[in-house]
Structure formats: structure tokens, C-alpha cells
Amino acid sequence: MIVYNFTKDSKLRNYGFYRPGSSNSITEPVTLAEAKAHLRIESSDDDTYITTLISVARGICENYVGFLLAYNDSLTYYLDRFPDRQEIILYGISGLDSGTTVIKYNNKNGVLTTFDATKYNSDEHSIPSRIFLKDGESFPETDSYTPSAVQITFEAGLQGYSMPKPLYQAILLTIGHLFENRQNVVVGGKGYDIPQTAEYLMNPYRVISI
């Protein structure tokens, strides 16, 4: 079951959306060796296929829980304008690396400008990740005729040490499900893209509403 696709779902544009940069590199939370051990496969005949399944399974699980599981080193989050409140909520983002965060915006004259990094703090621990204005600071005005006028670039995603074991196991179970079943498993007329056990493991971490 897919709840929110934060990368492509147009209904989330009012909340912002993110895109990977052209040079984005993804560090998968499950390695090829770990996936093969789970599948009990020793030969290298299916290595390319299993590598693809790792990425697909991780993406399925990300859409289910509603935030990043793989680490990305070049993401840009877009907003049409700065929010009225004192924080920016980066829906779909987890494990924000505050040291890499850069906020740019099109000012009232349409000129792309960098927002002073001394005026805000980044929350690396919350899911979704957040950016807070410091006391006494305010967001600048943007060009109202420029869509996606605010562009926030950063590195983000759960790394190995911060990946909850149930989510790691859910990805492995989904890899096994995809490897064994080349199409949906149908039980009682209902198709399953994700093993039910994987759903149970992910449910406590799931972002339900926005």
C-alpha cells in the first residue's frame, strides 16, 4: 500500500517537494552481501538483479513509511514561498545533515539570493526534518511570480547507525518478496506489494498525516 510519494505526488506541492540533484549519490541501507545472505544465495549470477531489487524494495518501504531510508548526498527541497510560521517542515525528509543545508530564494526582484545561515537552526533528529528560525529572525519575502521560489539543498537520509532494526528487516523482507514473486501476491482478492510482516514492522514508524 502506497500512502504518499513525496517525490512525485502533485497534491503535496503546497507542502513542498524534493528532487534529487543530477549528481546525487544514494547509499542503500542494505548491501548486496546482506541481501544475498537473506536470500541464501551464494552465486553471483543474479547480482545485478538483486542490486535493482534493493533499490526498488527500499523505495517501496520509503513510500510506505513516508520518509527517506537511504542516504542521499544531493537533494533539493522546493517551496513556492516561505511559511508564515517560524519553521519549515521538510515533508518526506529524515536524517537531515545540518552542516550541508543551504537555503536560497528568489527575492522580490526575482534575484536568487542565499538566506543567511546564522538566522536558522536545523533539526536533524525529527521526522520529518525541520528548520527553525532563531529568536528575533524572520523569513524574507519572495517573488510571488516565481514558482518554487525557495530552494533548500542538503544531504539527508537514515544511515546505518540510525536505521531502526524493524525498518531494516522490512526492506529485507520486501527484497525477498520481490525476488520470489515476479508479480503481486493475491490473497482473498487483495493484491500485496509488500509482505504483511513488513507492514507490521513499519507501521510504528509510519507518517500517517501531513
Side-chain angles (χ1 to χ4, degrees):
M1 178 180 181
I2 305 302
V3 182
Y4 301 127
N5 186 326
F6 286 92
T7 305
K8 298 179 180 178
D9 195 337
S10 60
K11 75 178 181 179
L12 297 174
R13 293 301 173 86
N14 292 334
Y15 297 91
F17 62 99
Y18 66 85
R19 293 285 188 271
S22 59
S23 62
N24 183 50
S25 177
I26 297 176
T27 302
E28 296 289 352
V30 173
T31 66
L32 176 61
E34 291 168 338
K36 290 175 68 174
H38 176 74
L39 297 171
R40 299 181 180 179
I41 294 175
E42 296 182 357
S43 73
S44 59
D45 295 346
D46 291 318
D47 280 7
T48 301
Y49 181 60
I50 295 171
T51 298
T52 300
L53 292 186
I54 291 171
S55 177
V56 171
R58 181 261 308 162
I60 289 173
C61 292
E62 283 182 336
N63 281 339
Y64 189 85
V65 296
F67 55 85
L68 294 173
L69 298 178
Y71 198 81
N72 295 254
D73 67 7
S74 179
L75 294 176
T76 301
Y77 198 96
Y78 297 92
L79 294 163
D80 287 333
R81 62 192 62 83
F82 286 107
D84 296 331
R85 55 183 180 273
Q86 295 295 102
E87 66 174 348
I88 299 173
I89 301 177
L90 303 173
Y91 291 104
I93 303 301
S94 61
L96 177 69
D97 184 346
S98 61
T100 64
T101 303
V102 176
I103 301 176
K104 294 185 178 182
Y105 65 98
N106 289 91
N107 65 21
K108 291 187 295 183
N109 297 318
V111 178
L112 189 63
T113 307
T114 300
F115 186 47
D116 188 348
T118 65
K119 295 184 177 182
Y120 60 88
N121 289 316
S122 301
D123 182 356
E124 300 181 344
H125 306 290
S126 65
I127 298 177
S129 299
R130 300 174 294 174
I131 295 173
F132 290 90
L133 284 172
K134 291 184 178 179
D135 186 38
E137 302 294 347
S138 60
F139 289 121
E141 293 186 45
T142 59
D143 180 9
S144 58
Y145 296 99
T146 301
S148 301
V150 180
Q151 305 170 21
I152 309 170
T153 60
F154 47 79
E155 297 180 17
L158 299 185
Q159 300 187 66
Y161 68 88
S162 61
M163 170 71 72
K165 295 299 183 183
L167 296 182
Y168 172 82
Q169 188 63 29
I171 296 174
L172 286 176
L173 289 172
T174 305
I175 292 170
H177 171 80
L178 294 172
F179 187 81
E180 296 295 335
N181 304 281
R182 306 303 167 95
Q183 58 187 7
N184 283 2
V185 174
V186 179
V187 179
K190 180 181 179 181
Y192 287 88
D193 296 310
I194 305 176
Q196 284 186 292
T197 303
E199 290 188 4
Y200 297 147
L201 290 170
M202 291 188 290
N203 280 340
Y205 302 92
R206 197 177 190 191
V207 178
I208 300 298
S209 60
I210 59 175

